[in-house]
């Protein structure tokens, strides 16, 4: 019998930007040309996590991954792989086998070798808009097990035993949260999926929903059964249209299959899910602010207790978990808490998804077992620092995370180790910083974000971050004063202690961690008016060196006519006129302009 093939085209945003959308029509054209349409299915997937190698195309069986595929490559792929059965070596991403419980074919390819995919186990494997694909991979089997073999108390006990901690940032034990909600007598109860992901550069939850929305739906139904809720709400940013479309379709398909609605799978348990769109406020990632937003009020946090498990949405007991947490639930029930506990460290079980970004060779989504070190992530999964540059720091935990220098590279990725090192797990942002970056400027960048996103409810966060940003701006503009570092430390300490919610309490982290680990850079900015990374514009001077051949290119691009010189003669920059835009530096082909 002739082989039938399944072709998966990555439909993640980076691949789309690289031209993935043109591949589908080219594939269909070539399949028609070879008469293969009946033997080949084409489906789209969410982000496969290999963004720097996109567009990505996968051919099954065999899980051959092709990278950097262009429209012009399609005829050769079809001819060689599908017609002659010979994978096209020049485009194939080589791999071996090591981790990944469900799909060992990811193998020892460095990017995947240290990874273990639990939450993202189906991303790139199934067609996210086809519930039958999910069902074929034991989809909703965990729900069936819960409804037919376990009492709600046993489900809660299994989640508690697994050691799963909330993946949204704080790391609170998930089983305890479920237990507290289940213990409440008030009804109705609610289950919420927090998909309001707003960290700069982070796209874990969005991609997880785009790649496999069904596992989130299944996790929520199980959660509803465990705590006695009949209504679930997915709170997701309106700016994620693809994720919204897929979670909406997944909910509709689950309803059509009797997996949502009245008497699920013939049981006496009824549960349904509604989609609510958020307007994009960072603070709505905080659970009480999110609840206010769903209720139609302004998204602002409130003091706790009472916690949402006691008094949440509309004053009723509410169970809130984020996307990644829900995605772990079906696996825990299917494979058991005992198996889940074998992955990770003593106090942090399972895996963690990160959005690896910044100055690292392999950027994209990764999922690694808790306990993996920062060095392994950056140099093995991430492939190290590009262009031979030196590693300087890594920031974990999004805009509220700390910046850790080289001395912390062997820090284990788990909640407690990162906290001891002065950072946080957060929801999973991880940004690698190289020697070309100024740590004072980095701290200012993240504080600018958290200051802009402050909801303004409490004075320490609203006013404190504003004052800190003013000081940082002054320092990076060459106006720093003796004592500024100490002021930043005092303000940061006060904000951490007095802010109302976790977002305010963690906002000073980037500043305090860079002061702790890179204090000398602050001192240089303030006392020597010098930026060693040459990143702070006001502290940089451009000078033309003896390498100048007098081509005039710099003179022609200078927007303020600050450069003079005759043809084939050494040119000169008038420092009084120079606005330090860097146009001359970027234009010179002879490396004749120095940045000092």
């Amino acid at each position: 019998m002739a082989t039938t093939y399944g072709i998966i085209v990555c439909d993640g945003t980076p691949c789309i930007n690289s031209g993935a959308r043109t591949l589908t029509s080219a594939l269909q054209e070539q399949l028609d040309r070879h008469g293969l349409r009946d033997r080949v299915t084409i489906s789209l997937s969410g982000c496969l996590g290999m963004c720097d190698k996109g567009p990505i195309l996968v051919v099954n069986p065999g899980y051959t991954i092709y990278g950097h595929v262009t429209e012009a490559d399609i005829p050769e792929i079809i001819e060689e792989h599908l017609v002659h059965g010979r994978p096209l070596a020049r485009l194939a991403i080589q791999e071996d086998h090591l981790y990944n419980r469900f799909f060992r074919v990811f193998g020892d390819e460095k990017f995947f070798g240290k990874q273990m995919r639990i939450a993202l186990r189906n991303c790139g494997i199934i067609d996210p808009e086809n519930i039958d694909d999910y069902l074929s991979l034991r989809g909703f089997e965990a729900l069936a097990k819960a409804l037919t073999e376990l009492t709600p108390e046993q489900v809660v006990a299994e989640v508690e035993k697994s050691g799963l901690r909330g993946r949204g940032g704080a790391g609170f034990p998930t089983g305890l949260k479920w237990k507290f909600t289940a213990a409440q007598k008030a009804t109705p109860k609610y289950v919420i999926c927090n998909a309001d992901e707003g960290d700069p550069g982070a796209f874990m939850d969005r991609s997880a929903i785009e790649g496999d929305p069904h596992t989130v739906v299944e996790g929520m139904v199980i959660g509803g059964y465990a705590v006695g809720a009949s209504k679930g709400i997915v709170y997701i940013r309106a700016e994620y249209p693809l994720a919204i479309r897929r979670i909406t379709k997944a909910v509709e398909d689950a309803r059509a299959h009797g997996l949502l609605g009245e008497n699920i799978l013939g049981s006496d348990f009824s549960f349904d899910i509604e989609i609510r769109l958020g307007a994009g406020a960072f603070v709505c990632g905080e659970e009480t602010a999110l609840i206010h937003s769903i209720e139609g009020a302004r998204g602002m946090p409130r003091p706790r207790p009472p916690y949402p498990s006691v008094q949440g949405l509309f004053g009723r007991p509410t169970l809130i978990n984020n996307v990644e947490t829900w995605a772990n639930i079906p696996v825990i029930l299917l494979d058991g808490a005992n198996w889940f506990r074998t992955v990770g460290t003593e106090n942090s079980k399972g895996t963690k998804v990160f959005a690896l970004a910044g100055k690292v060779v392999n950027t994209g989504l990764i999922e690694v077992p808790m306990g993996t070190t920062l060095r392994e992530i950056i140099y093995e999964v991430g492939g190290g620092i590009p262009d031979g540059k030196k590693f300087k720091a890594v920031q974990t935990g999004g805009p509220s995370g700390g910046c850790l220098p080289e001395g912390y590279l062997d820090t284990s990725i788990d909640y407690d180790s990162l906290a001891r090192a002065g950072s946080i797990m957060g929801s999973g942002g991880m940004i690698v910083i190289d020697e070309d970056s100024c740590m004072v400027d980095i701290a200012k960048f993240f504080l600018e974000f958290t200051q802009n996103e402050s909801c303004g409810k409490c004075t320490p966060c609203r006013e404190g971050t504003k004052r800190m940003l003013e000081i940082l701006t002054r320092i990076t503009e060459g106006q720093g004063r003796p004592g500024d570092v100490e002021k930043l430390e005092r303000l940061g300490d006060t904000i951490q202690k007095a802010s109302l919610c976790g977002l305010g309490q963690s906002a000073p982290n980037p500043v305090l961690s860079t002061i702790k680990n890179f204090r000398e850079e602050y001192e240089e900015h303030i006392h020597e008016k010098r930026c060693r990374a040459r990143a702070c514009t006001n502290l940089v001077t451009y000078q033309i060196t003896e390498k100048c051949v007098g081509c005039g290119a710099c003179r022609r691009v200078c927007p303020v006519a600050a450069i003079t010189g005759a043809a084939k003669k050494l040119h000169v920059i008038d420092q009084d006129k120079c606005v330090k835009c860097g146009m001359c530096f970027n234009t010179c082909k002879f490396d004749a302009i120095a940045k000092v």
Side-chain angles (χ1 to χ4, degrees):
M1 181 181 291
T3 304
T4 57
Y5 290 96
I7 296 179
I8 301 168
V9 179
C10 181
D11 202 40
T13 303
C15 279
I16 292 173
N17 290 338
S18 302
R21 288 279 169 86
T22 65
L23 301 184
T24 305
S25 55
L27 281 166
Q28 289 169 339
E29 182 183 329
Q30 288 301 312
L31 293 177
D32 285 335
R33 179 171 174 268
H34 290 279
L36 295 172
R37 285 297 292 268
D38 294 339
R39 290 172 45 202
V40 182
T41 60
I42 302 172
S43 56
L44 303 179
S45 75
C47 179
L48 293 174
M50 292 180 282
C51 309
D52 63 318
K53 297 182 178 65
I56 295 291
L57 184 150
V58 181
V59 178
N60 281 314
Y63 204 78
T64 302
I65 306 173
Y66 291 116
H68 300 301
V69 179
T70 66
E71 206 174 338
D73 296 320
I74 298 300
E76 193 177 1
I77 291 174
I78 299 298
E79 177 79 25
E80 288 299 311
H81 195 143
L82 273 61
V83 175
H84 299 296
R86 300 186 299 246
L88 187 59
R90 71 177 182 85
L91 291 175
I93 299 173
Q94 299 301 322
E95 61 188 29
D96 292 314
H97 305 273
L98 186 62
Y99 279 101
N100 299 300
R101 186 174 186 283
F102 292 119
F103 299 96
R104 295 177 182 277
V105 289
F106 279 143
D108 289 337
E109 159 72 22
K110 281 188 175 180
F111 185 74
F112 288 113
K114 289 288 179 183
Q115 294 197 55
M116 184 173 190
R117 295 199 161 198
I118 295 178
L120 301 178
R121 63 194 181 281
N122 292 327
C123 292
I125 304 300
I126 66 169
D127 177 353
E129 297 192 23
N130 186 343
I131 196 172
D132 290 336
D133 265 18
Y134 183 67
L135 290 170
S136 71
L137 294 176
R138 305 182 73 187
F140 289 99
E141 196 175 313
L143 173 63
K145 180 180 178 181
L147 294 180
T148 60
E149 300 177 19
L150 302 173
T151 64
E153 293 78 14
Q154 288 173 319
V155 174
V156 172
E158 193 71 359
V159 173
E160 188 175 9
K161 184 180 177 185
S162 73
L164 176 68
R165 297 171 66 170
R167 300 300 196 239
F172 189 79
T174 303
L176 273 183
K177 187 183 276 191
W178 286 37
K179 195 175 185 178
F180 293 153
T181 311
Q184 302 307 309
K185 302 298 181 189
T187 58
K189 296 179 183 178
Y190 296 97
V191 164
I192 294 176
C193 173
N194 182 352
D196 189 70
E197 184 178 51
D199 296 10
F203 51 97
M204 297 81 62
D205 291 349
R206 174 176 60 79
S207 290
I209 290 178
E210 289 176 356
D212 181 12
H214 312 287
T215 193
V216 176
V217 173
E218 184 177 8
M220 291 179 70
V221 183
I222 293 170
Y225 172 70
V227 304
S230 58
K231 177 78 177 287
I233 295 173
V234 176
Y235 185 85
I236 184 170
R237 288 194 162 210
E239 62 199 67
Y240 298 161
L242 182 60
I244 293 168
R245 190 183 85 199
R246 288 186 171 164
I247 191 71
T248 302
K249 187 171 191 311
V251 168
E252 292 169 349
D253 288 348
R255 205 175 282 140
H257 282 71
L259 299 164
L260 277 177
E262 298 295 323
N263 304 114
I264 294 173
L265 294 176
S267 70
D268 59 359
F269 172 61
S270 300
F271 185 86
D272 211 339
I273 292 177
E274 176 185 342
I275 310 295
R276 288 291 187 95
L277 305 186
F282 181 64
V283 73
C284 285
E286 198 276 340
E287 57 186 15
T288 60
L290 182 152
I291 287 172
H292 284 156
S293 177
I294 293 176
E295 290 173 340
R298 181 176 173 183
M300 300 177 92
R302 63 162 172 81
R304 297 173 298 176
Y307 291 96
S309 57
V310 177
Q311 191 174 322
L313 185 62
F314 303 118
R316 300 296 177 179
T318 303
L319 175 63
I320 303 181
N321 287 128
N322 84 327
V323 171
E324 187 181 345
T325 310
W326 288 121
N328 276 281
I329 298 301
V331 180
I332 290 172
L333 284 201
L334 271 186
D335 295 298
N338 288 334
W339 172 80
F340 191 81
R341 291 182 63 82
T342 63
V343 183
T345 66
E346 183 177 355
N347 295 318
S348 300
K349 302 299 183 186
T351 58
K352 183 73 191 78
V353 178
F354 289 99
L356 187 60
K359 301 298 179 64
V360 65
V361 174
N362 299 322
T363 58
L365 281 191
I366 66 167
E367 183 174 0
V368 293
M370 295 281 193
T372 305
T373 66
L374 287 168
R375 186 185 301 279
E376 289 172 318
I377 290 177
I378 295 168
Y379 285 97
E380 295 186 41
V381 180
I385 315 300
D387 303 323
K389 298 287 184 179
K390 187 180 176 185
F391 169 86
K392 190 169 191 178
V394 57
Q395 200 230 19
T396 67
S400 302
C403 296
L404 303 177
E406 190 171 7
Y408 289 91
L409 274 177
D410 292 315
T411 299
S412 163
I413 289 293
D414 61 73
Y415 293 98
D416 306 317
S417 298
L418 284 174
R420 281 195 298 272
S423 189
I424 57 174
M425 182 78 80
S427 58
M430 183 176 288
I431 298 175
V432 181
I433 299 164
D434 73 4
E435 59 185 320
D436 289 341
S437 299
C438 166
M439 299 311 295
V440 184
D441 192 50
I442 290 283
K444 174 172 161 278
F445 170 80
F446 286 116
L447 191 71
E448 195 166 20
F449 175 83
T450 50
Q451 205 282 319
N452 283 338
E453 293 290 341
S454 172
C455 75
K457 183 172 183 176
C458 71
T459 306
C461 176
R462 183 185 68 241
E463 297 298 328
T465 55
K466 181 76 174 172
R467 300 288 87 78
M468 289 184 78
L469 183 59
E470 287 171 355
I471 296 172
L472 283 171
T473 302
R474 201 168 65 226
I475 293 174
T476 56
E477 290 179 350
Q479 304 299 320
R481 305 165 191 160
D484 275 351
V485 174
E486 290 73 19
K487 282 182 186 172
L488 287 171
E489 289 177 317
R490 284 198 300 275
L491 276 168
D493 183 59
T494 302
I495 295 168
Q496 285 182 329
K497 290 176 178 171
S499 290
L500 180 60
C501 75
L503 299 183
Q505 291 159 10
S506 57
N509 283 347
V511 182
L512 297 181
S513 65
T514 50
I515 289 176
K516 175 188 171 188
N517 298 313
F518 301 94
R519 193 181 188 100
E520 67 280 4
E521 292 198 28
Y522 282 85
E523 301 292 349
E524 289 167 1
H525 279 69
I526 294 169
H527 301 293
E528 302 173 27
K529 309 302 178 193
R530 179 169 71 90
C531 172
R532 65 170 67 180
R534 301 179 183 89
C536 297
T537 304
N538 283 11
L539 301 180
V540 168
T541 300
Y542 293 95
Q543 295 177 354
I544 298 179
T545 70
E546 295 296 326
K547 292 181 182 177
C548 177
V549 297
C551 69
C554 59
R555 175 167 44 81
R556 289 191 290 274
V557 298
C558 180
V560 292
I563 300 176
T564 55
K568 298 184 181 180
K569 299 291 184 183
L570 182 70
H571 284 38
V572 177
I573 299 176
D574 184 341
Q575 298 297 337
D576 292 334
K577 289 184 179 179
C578 179
V579 294
K580 302 176 181 180
C581 65
M583 291 287 287
C584 56
F585 182 82
N586 295 329
T587 301
C588 182
K589 297 179 179 177
F590 303 96
D591 196 23
I593 298 182
K595 199 175 177 183
V596 296

